[in-house]
């Protein structure tokens, strides 16, 4: 009974575990030293967890099917328009620090690329893992161009030039996206037996991603707890990120309905690389703006959980 429950509700359980573990270390002073040591270990192994999740996913994809599609263009165009609208709103409310932080937190979510784990969830709910992987690569490159072009306009004190920021973002993405993609291609062509063994493990990518989500949830709660923002501001940011999550989901579904792939388009639009969004908020904007991306990761995985439940219900 318990095993089946954990299997059916893996993502909410992962979020709960990460949250509870962090709060235990936060509330029990005797665990401070152990918590600091564990935090360093987590910071070290987290990129490896992302790498392993994607590598196991990319061993399954058909590289010949990774082609641009019409819905790719539609979702990217919608993202660019939303970024432009959001920047205009920030300029309009610049005199009000509270409103500016609120809309900057929204911008960090919108401008971020599609989540590197998006192909994992898409495959789990019956979507096309090949076209989703192609979109993640395109989306990452698009965000690497938009972020250093847009953010210095909002916070002019940034020391990073466009080119240096572009290279840093690409470097961060290459380690956790391009490298496992290249290794997956290599395994399919030159280590076929090992690749077949990885593919034969049921739901390996999904459970690796659940472990990664547990760590992400703990880090998100840490950022919220240690934020300097007042409770009212935190609630407004959390509410706005919730509204944004559903708005992007519905927008993506609408685009996909007209351009050929409703399921994948919806996932591509709303499932964001929040780790990168948090980094750019700390680098370019007020660090409190990172709370928006921190809340967003919780909302998007609740939506993913609902989608997984709905898919199980339909297939049964």
């Amino acid at each position: 009974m318990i095993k089946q429950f954990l299997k059916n509700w893996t993502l909410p359980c992962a979020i709960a575990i990460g949250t509870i573990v962090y709060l235990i270390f936060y509330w029990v002073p005797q665990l401070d030293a152990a918590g600091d040591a564990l935090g360093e270990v987590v910071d070290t192994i987290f990129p490896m967890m992302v790498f392993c999740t994607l590598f196991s996913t990319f061993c399954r994809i058909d590289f010949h099917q990774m082609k641009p599609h019409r819905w790719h263009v539609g979702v990217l165009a919608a993202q660019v328009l939303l970024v432009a609208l959001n920047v205009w709103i920030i300029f309009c409310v610049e005199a009000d620090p509270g409103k500016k932080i609120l809309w900057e937190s929204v911008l960090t979510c919108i401008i971020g690329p599609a989540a590197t784990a998006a192909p994992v969830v898409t495959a789990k709910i019956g979507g096309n893992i090949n076209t989703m992987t192609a979109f993640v690569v395109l989306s990452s490159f698009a965000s690497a161009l938009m972020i250093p072009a847009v953010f210095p306009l909002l916070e002019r004190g940034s020391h990073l030039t466009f080119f240096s920021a572009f290279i840093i973002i690409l470097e961060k993405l290459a380690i956790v996206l391009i490298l496992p993609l290249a290794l997956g291609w290599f395994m399919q062509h030159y280590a076929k037996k090992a690749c077949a063994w990885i593919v034969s493990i049921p739901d390996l990518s999904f459970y690796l991603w659940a472990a990664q989500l547990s760590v992400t949830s703990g880090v998100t709660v840490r950022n919220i707890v240690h934020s300097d923002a007042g409770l009212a501001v935190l609630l407004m940011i959390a509410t706005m990120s919730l509204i944004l999550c559903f708005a992007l989901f519905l927008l993506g579904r609408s685009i996909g309905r007209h351009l050929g792939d409703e399921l994948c388009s919806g996932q591509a639009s709303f499932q964001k690389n929040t780790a990168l969004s948090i980094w750019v908020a700390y680098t370019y904007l007020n660090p409190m703006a990172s709370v928006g991306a921190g809340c967003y990761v919780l909302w998007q995985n609740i939506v993913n959980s609902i989608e997984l439940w709905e898919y199980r219900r339909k297939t049964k």
Side-chain angles (χ1 to χ4, degrees):
M1 186 71 175
I2 296 176
K3 183 179 179 180
Q4 187 62 36
F5 176 82
L6 293 174
K7 184 177 180 179
N8 290 340
W9 299 100
T10 304
L11 302 189
C13 291
I15 293 172
I17 290 170
T19 301
I20 293 170
V21 168
Y22 172 75
L23 291 176
I24 289 173
F25 280 96
Y26 178 74
W27 283 327
V28 180
Q30 292 82 357
L31 297 176
D32 284 348
D36 293 339
L38 183 61
E40 294 179 3
V41 173
V42 168
D43 291 340
T44 302
I45 67 171
F46 186 73
M48 300 178 190
M49 295 173 68
V50 178
F51 179 93
C52 292
T53 302
L54 293 179
F55 169 63
S56 61
T57 301
F58 295 152
C59 284
R60 300 171 181 268
I61 68 172
D62 183 352
F63 285 88
H64 297 291
Q65 298 298 321
M66 283 183 59
K67 300 175 182 178
H69 284 256
R70 291 188 303 161
W71 69 263
H72 290 174
V73 178
V75 172
L76 288 175
Q79 183 185 18
V80 171
L81 290 175
L82 287 173
V83 167
L85 176 62
N86 205 150
V87 170
W88 176 76
I89 292 173
I90 291 172
F91 282 138
C92 292
V93 301
E94 198 168 14
D96 188 328
K99 290 182 179 179
K100 185 180 180 185
I101 290 173
L102 176 64
W103 285 103
E104 284 183 345
S105 69
V106 172
L107 179 61
T108 59
C109 298
I110 295 174
I111 204 169
T116 50
V120 179
V121 183
T122 303
K124 191 72 175 173
I125 58 176
N128 190 321
I129 189 174
N130 305 307
T131 56
M132 180 57 73
T133 302
F135 179 81
V136 170
V137 176
L138 291 173
S139 172
S140 299
F141 189 78
S143 292
L145 287 172
M146 284 192 291
I147 289 168
V150 169
F151 278 54
L153 299 175
L154 306 177
E155 298 291 339
R156 296 172 181 81
S158 174
H159 63 282
L160 292 177
T161 64
F162 174 87
F163 183 75
S164 61
F166 177 72
I167 295 300
I168 290 172
I169 294 170
L170 280 188
E171 182 183 2
K172 286 178 175 291
L173 291 169
I175 295 172
V176 296
L177 178 62
I178 305 302
L179 188 57
L181 187 66
L183 188 57
W185 178 88
F186 178 86
M187 292 288 287
Q188 285 190 22
H189 289 80
Y190 300 104
K192 294 182 179 181
K193 288 186 178 180
C195 184
W197 176 75
I198 293 171
V199 171
S200 69
I201 302 174
D203 294 327
L204 175 62
S205 302
F206 180 71
Y207 290 115
L208 286 172
W209 177 57
Q212 172 192 327
L213 175 60
S214 186
V215 174
T216 304
S217 301
V219 172
T220 297
V221 174
R222 181 190 66 185
N223 292 339
I224 294 173
V225 168
H226 292 283
S227 171
D228 295 329
L231 180 60
V233 175
L234 288 174
L235 288 175
M236 282 193 297
I237 291 175
T239 303
M240 198 64 137
S241 64
L242 174 62
I243 295 171
L244 176 66
C245 182
F246 280 97
L248 291 178
F249 177 76
L250 295 175
L251 175 63
R253 288 272 179 156
S254 177
I255 292 171
R257 204 173 299 125
H258 291 88
L259 297 180
D261 195 330
E262 183 178 353
L263 193 155
C264 286
S265 183
Q267 293 301 119
S269 177
F270 95 98
Q271 199 167 341
K272 295 291 187 177
N273 187 335
T274 51
L276 184 67
S277 297
I278 290 171
W279 175 79
V280 295
Y282 272 99
T283 302
Y284 284 111
L285 306 176
N286 189 316
M288 284 190 291
S290 66
V291 175
C295 295
Y296 191 94
V297 71
L298 302 178
W299 305 137
Q300 75 177 8
N301 283 293
I302 289 173
V303 174
N304 283 331
S305 300
I306 295 172
E307 286 186 297
L308 288 167
W309 171 80
E310 179 68 13
Y311 182 73
R312 284 196 307 270
R313 187 182 65 84
K314 286 183 177 180
T315 52
K316 287 181 179 178

